[in-house]
Amino acid sequence: MTVVWIVIGVVVLVAAVLVVLEVQNVRRRRALSHLGPVDPRVGERAMSEASAAHSVIEGQAKSAHPGISGAGGGPLA
């Protein structure tokens, strides 16, 4: 009989957690509804710009310090 009560308690606990999470989702959706839909191309464009900037900075760093990575040649001894 104790096992039955434990199972019932676990089921009630899981249901309560799911209800709380759904209430939070509804509140968040309501709070952010004024922002409107998001354009998926914005994220892609930001990622490509960040990748390009990273490549430029990496290239500048390797040209400023050619012996560190081995990409710019051997050490200048």
Side-chain angles (χ1 to χ4, degrees):
M1 189 65 186
T2 305
V3 173
V4 173
W5 285 111
I6 291 174
V7 169
I8 291 173
V10 168
V11 169
V12 169
L13 181 66
V14 168
V17 167
L18 291 175
V19 168
V20 167
L21 290 175
E22 185 57 32
V23 168
Q24 287 178 344
N25 285 338
V26 169
R27 287 182 182 171
R28 186 185 56 215
R29 263 188 259 124
R30 191 178 309 137
L32 298 177
S33 65
H34 69 283
L35 295 177
V38 176
D39 186 9
R41 293 176 295 184
V42 172
E44 294 171 7
R45 187 170 38 242
M47 286 297 293
S48 66
E49 289 175 1
S51 177
H54 179 267
S55 296
V56 168
I57 292 172
E58 186 177 9
Q60 289 174 346
K62 286 182 179 178
S63 67
H65 307 286
I68 292 176
S69 67
L76 301 174

